[in-house]
Amino acid sequence: MAAPTEAQIAHQELIDKIDIHSIHKTFRNPHWRPNQRRNKNIKTILGDASRKEASVNATPQDNSGAVSPAPGDDGLSTSGSSTPAQQSASGSNLQPNLAQASRSLSKLVLEKTLRPNGAGGATTSAPSATYTNIESAPSLAHTKRYCDITGLPGPYLDPKSRLRYHNREVFGFIRTLPQGAAEQYLEARGAHTVLK
């Protein structure tokens, strides 16, 4: 290998002088580490939201005691006698028993969901409407029609192939389709005819 020339040496010195990575940065903390908490993905966010909604819908809103079970069944009652943090005889607070608290909460949720309407004389509210339990009459609004090729609004209908299309360019494409392709587009929309 040939020895570097003066121009190459000068060029390398210039690169070393301009190199930003070789400059000591006094503003950066050498002990800094990125945060270990990860952002929640959409699945986790939706799961949390549905659990929160189910919890709000399932827990009783009245504190009348009408939803409390008979005392003495398996040691867990919702009347407050088995509250995890109770005052002891000496007056100091005990540490809460989380397992007992979660069992009590689970029992409350089950009691609320299994309680028949009108039992115990408690007032019942109307069921809340969600996307899973809503029942309504069919809409009276006109259905929107979309182009079978592009998915854009499709105000036109080809009488020969019965395909909906968006504009003249798509119409030209429809007319160049082979024999069975138009039927496949109609099948994707659910408007195809099945001959027996």
Side-chain angles (χ1 to χ4, degrees):
M1 182 169 206
T5 62
E6 282 187 32
Q8 290 175 337
I9 293 172
H11 181 70
Q12 187 61 40
E13 288 175 357
L14 180 62
I15 289 174
D16 292 339
K17 181 179 172 187
I18 297 175
D19 186 19
I20 193 168
H21 297 292
S22 64
I23 300 171
H24 178 68
K25 298 169 189 66
T26 57
F27 58 86
R28 181 170 177 167
N29 183 355
H31 302 294
W32 180 84
R33 295 284 176 263
N35 192 356
Q36 296 300 317
R37 255 181 94 184
R38 297 180 63 195
N39 293 333
K40 293 181 179 180
N41 59 17
I42 192 70
K43 186 177 180 182
T44 309
I45 293 170
L46 289 175
D48 290 346
S50 65
R51 278 194 296 277
K52 183 178 178 184
E53 180 182 344
S55 173
V56 167
N57 288 341
T59 55
Q61 299 299 323
D62 57 344
N63 295 327
S64 64
V67 295
S68 298
D73 56 340
D74 78 14
L76 291 176
S77 73
T78 55
S79 63
S81 60
S82 63
T83 305
Q86 296 178 352
Q87 293 283 340
S88 65
S90 62
S92 64
N93 281 337
L94 298 174
Q95 291 295 324
N97 183 351
L98 295 179
Q100 185 180 7
S102 67
R103 281 196 314 260
S104 297
L105 182 61
S106 300
K107 190 167 185 177
L108 275 171
V109 170
L110 282 174
E111 287 172 2
K112 179 68 175 181
T113 56
L114 296 176
R115 183 179 60 151
N117 289 341
T123 59
T124 58
S125 61
S128 61
T130 63
Y131 287 108
T132 57
N133 70 356
I134 196 162
E135 293 178 9
S136 63
S139 174
L140 298 176
H142 296 291
T143 58
K144 293 191 176 185
R145 295 183 175 145
Y146 296 101
C147 175
D148 290 317
I149 309 299
T150 62
L152 296 170
Y156 310 111
L157 181 72
D158 178 21
K160 184 177 178 183
S161 63
R162 299 188 333 269
L163 287 175
R164 294 185 183 134
Y165 59 95
H166 177 66
N167 58 13
R168 196 170 84 186
E169 181 182 346
V170 178
F171 178 71
F173 174 76
I174 289 174
R175 288 298 170 108
T176 61
L177 287 174
Q179 185 68 27
E183 195 65 31
Q184 289 176 342
Y185 279 109
L186 288 171
E187 185 177 356
R189 181 171 29 123
H192 65 295
T193 55
V194 178
L195 298 175
K196 293 183 180 180

